[in-house]
Amino acid sequence: MGLEMEPLLLAWSYFRHRKFQLCADLCMQMLEKSPYDQAAQILKARALNEGVYIEEIDVDQEGIAGMILNKNAQVPRPGTSLKLPGSNQTGGPSPAVRPITQAGIPITGFLRPSVQSGRPSTMEQAIRTPRTAYTAYPIASSSGRFFRLVMALFEYIFHHENDVKTAVDLAALSTEHSQYKDWWWKVQIGECYYRLGMYLEAEKQFKSALKQQEMVDTFLYLAKVYISLDQPVTALNLFKQGLDKFPGEETLLCGIARIYEEMNNISSTTEYHKEVLKQDNTQVEATACIGSNHFYSDQPEVALRFYRRFLQMGVYNSQLFNNLGICCFYAQQYDMTLTSFERALSLAENEEEVAEVWHILGHVAVGIGDTNLAHQCFRLGLVNSNKHAETYNNLAVLEMWKGHVKHMGDLQRSYTAAQKSEAAFPDHLGT
């Protein structure tokens, strides 16, 4: 007969294997039998947190205060704002025009959470409300076990319930209980203030925490505040101060590279990404961004080396082979071009990815002068995704090249569809 595992150990095993829902369910069963089992309480809270946890350092969603600041802000000087980036410093010819956002910022070679989530466009979208109510447990002692319970409770309220007001109240009481000597609680208060759009108050908390204990995450949080206040130069100086305390820290180097990238200073971006690779040559973001920069700097063969590194790292997806295919084409390695695109099509997980592959194949067809093949590729892309703005735009251009001016109705419909697609994706410009 097999031996049954202790329920708490089994729940912990589920947690270690990232089966968070199973862990939470088992903890709930234990709490039904023993409601005051503190180990089960903490483990359940951690499992629920991990199921919805998002790294707050990377996500940058603008709140109400940020929207008001942007609305009332004056036009800053070039090179001192993320809203008005400087001119491109790369220069030289390129195999394809680098796509940019409506703000003039080049599209990065790496999809970050802040880029993926986007910013709210209305006040209603900026307001966040808690999903459900929470049940607090009685506070009976001031031991180390009590502090662990309070920390777990705070993270549960903040991350899972998204009840920022209650979370900041709990953090304020805990800070007062620790006689304002616990830097961790000050950081949590700063996080709450930031999510509420109270950037100046968040800045005070993070600065106070840094005076007590210099931590990398605190530097990152404080820099995030300055970026939200559109003070990239201050954020850069802060990152460099952090590097003086933590030399070679790749998260700080990545932070500097991201700011330079949003300021359209591509040369400095590449410099710091190379510093990141000196510390960790498998860092995905730096590798992808350097590869993208080499491609748009008319060096597709160099970009190919960086994208092939992902294959050595075990990455195997449609986006990678799509990039490999277009790099092989511009590097005149035609024997690998179609093979890469075939792999990209076979690995595509949804219709949008299939449409993107056909879109790039259409560009390849244009490059070899076969406009009929390009037209078919773009049409196949629209069959899979009828909201692909760039494909609509390129189809319209092909019609103009063919001299089908008499079909202005079809041409107008193509541009109308492209405008509708751009309305769905306002931060991306078609090429």
Side-chain angles (χ1 to χ4, degrees):
M1 295 179 63
L3 296 176
E4 292 185 2
M5 187 180 295
E6 178 72 22
L8 184 60
L9 294 179
L10 181 58
W12 179 248
S13 177
Y14 284 146
F15 184 86
R16 293 290 300 272
H17 289 85
R18 303 189 65 81
K19 297 178 181 180
F20 301 123
Q21 190 57 50
L22 292 175
C23 176
D25 293 342
L26 186 54
C27 288
M28 179 60 72
Q29 295 176 12
M30 290 189 293
L31 288 173
E32 289 177 355
K33 299 178 181 179
S34 179
Y36 296 100
D37 188 341
Q38 295 180 354
Q41 291 174 0
I42 294 177
L43 187 56
K44 177 190 172 184
R46 290 187 61 188
L48 293 174
N49 290 341
E50 291 294 332
V52 297
Y53 181 80
I54 298 176
E55 181 57 65
E56 294 290 324
I57 295 175
D58 289 333
V59 177
D60 183 19
Q61 279 210 338
E62 195 172 27
I64 297 175
M67 298 173 69
I68 295 174
L69 285 173
N70 290 338
K71 183 178 180 180
N72 299 330
Q74 297 179 352
V75 178
R77 292 178 298 168
T80 63
S81 170
L82 300 179
K83 308 295 188 298
L84 186 64
S87 59
N88 193 346
Q89 300 184 13
T90 54
S94 61
V97 178
R98 185 164 189 160
I100 60 174
T101 65
Q102 291 182 347
I105 301 173
I107 298 295
T108 179
F110 182 82
L111 186 60
R112 306 185 185 98
S114 59
V115 178
Q116 187 174 11
S117 61
R119 297 175 180 268
S121 57
T122 65
M123 288 291 184
E124 289 76 10
Q125 294 176 357
I127 298 174
R128 297 183 177 183
T129 57
R131 288 188 287 267
T132 58
Y134 76 99
T135 302
Y137 295 101
I139 297 175
S141 67
S142 58
S143 62
R145 183 183 303 172
F146 156 72
F147 282 111
R148 289 194 296 272
L149 280 171
V150 175
M151 291 172 62
L153 178 60
F154 170 83
E155 292 180 344
Y156 174 78
I157 298 171
F158 184 77
H159 294 291
H160 187 271
E161 299 302 315
N162 204 16
D163 190 350
V164 183
K165 184 179 182 301
T166 305
V168 73
D169 291 341
L170 178 60
L173 289 173
S174 300
T175 304
E176 183 180 355
H177 188 274
S178 64
Q179 300 179 353
Y180 305 95
K181 296 180 180 180
D182 193 329
W183 65 270
W184 189 87
W185 282 114
K186 293 183 178 180
V187 172
Q188 308 316 308
I189 295 176
E191 286 187 55
C192 294
Y193 282 152
Y194 180 87
R195 187 177 288 189
L196 291 171
M198 303 167 65
Y199 300 135
L200 298 180
E201 288 77 5
E203 178 190 9
K204 293 177 183 177
Q205 294 295 328
F206 292 139
K207 282 185 174 180
S208 179
L210 279 176
K211 289 181 181 179
Q212 290 184 340
Q213 180 70 42
E214 292 177 336
M215 300 292 291
V216 175
D217 282 359
T218 312
F219 279 105
L220 296 173
Y221 282 126
L222 184 55
K224 184 179 174 182
V225 171
Y226 290 134
I227 292 172
S228 298
L229 293 172
D230 196 19
Q231 298 178 11
V233 177
T234 306
L236 286 173
N237 293 333
L238 178 67
F239 277 133
K240 292 174 183 178
Q241 292 175 15
L243 286 174
D244 292 337
K245 304 294 183 181
F246 303 95
E249 174 58 43
E250 66 177 64
T251 55
L252 299 176
L253 293 171
C254 277
I256 296 176
R258 291 177 182 180
I259 294 177
Y260 277 130
E261 187 175 56
E262 293 193 29
M263 296 175 68
N264 208 1
N265 190 340
I266 305 301
S267 58
S268 297
T269 300
T270 304
E271 176 185 349
Y272 277 94
H273 276 146
K274 288 181 178 179
E275 290 295 323
V276 173
L277 291 183
K278 289 181 182 178
Q279 304 297 325
D280 180 8
N281 59 6
T282 63
Q283 216 276 349
V284 175
E285 178 179 350
T287 305
C289 290
I290 293 177
S292 175
N293 181 57
H294 279 300
F295 175 78
Y296 288 111
S297 300
D298 199 19
Q299 297 175 323
E301 65 284 347
V302 180
L304 196 59
R305 289 166 45 196
F306 283 91
Y307 287 128
R308 282 176 174 169
R309 182 181 296 182
F310 286 116
L311 292 177
Q312 299 172 348
M313 293 163 55
V315 179
Y316 204 77
N317 56 36
S318 177
Q319 293 87 348
L320 175 59
F321 281 99
N322 210 4
N323 289 339
L324 287 171
I326 194 67
C327 287
C328 287
F329 174 74
Y330 282 112
Q332 299 182 0
Q333 298 183 18
Y334 302 120
D335 55 332
M336 293 296 297
T337 301
L338 292 180
T339 302
S340 297
F341 285 123
E342 287 176 355
R343 291 282 184 89
L345 285 172
S346 65
L347 293 172
E349 296 180 352
N350 51 58
E351 294 179 345
E352 286 74 17
E353 292 184 1
V354 175
E356 189 65 29
V357 177
W358 285 116
H359 172 69
I360 300 298
L361 277 170
H363 277 286
V364 172
V366 171
I368 63 177
D370 193 339
T371 56
N372 291 327
L373 177 59
H375 191 275
Q376 293 176 5
C377 290
F378 290 140
R379 285 291 185 184
L380 286 171
L382 292 179
V383 168
N384 289 276
S385 177
N386 60 0
K387 291 185 178 181
H388 203 276
E390 299 92 334
T391 302
Y392 277 116
N393 189 63
N394 292 332
L395 267 177
V397 173
L398 282 180
E399 293 294 334
M400 293 183 66
W401 283 0
K402 292 180 179 180
H404 292 173
V405 182
K406 61 182 179 180
H407 295 154
M408 286 302 294
D410 295 337
L411 187 61
Q412 183 62 35
R413 283 194 292 271
S414 295
Y415 276 117
T416 301
Q419 291 173 356
K420 292 181 180 179
S421 300
E422 289 295 344
F425 304 97
D427 198 41
H428 190 273
L429 295 180
T431 56

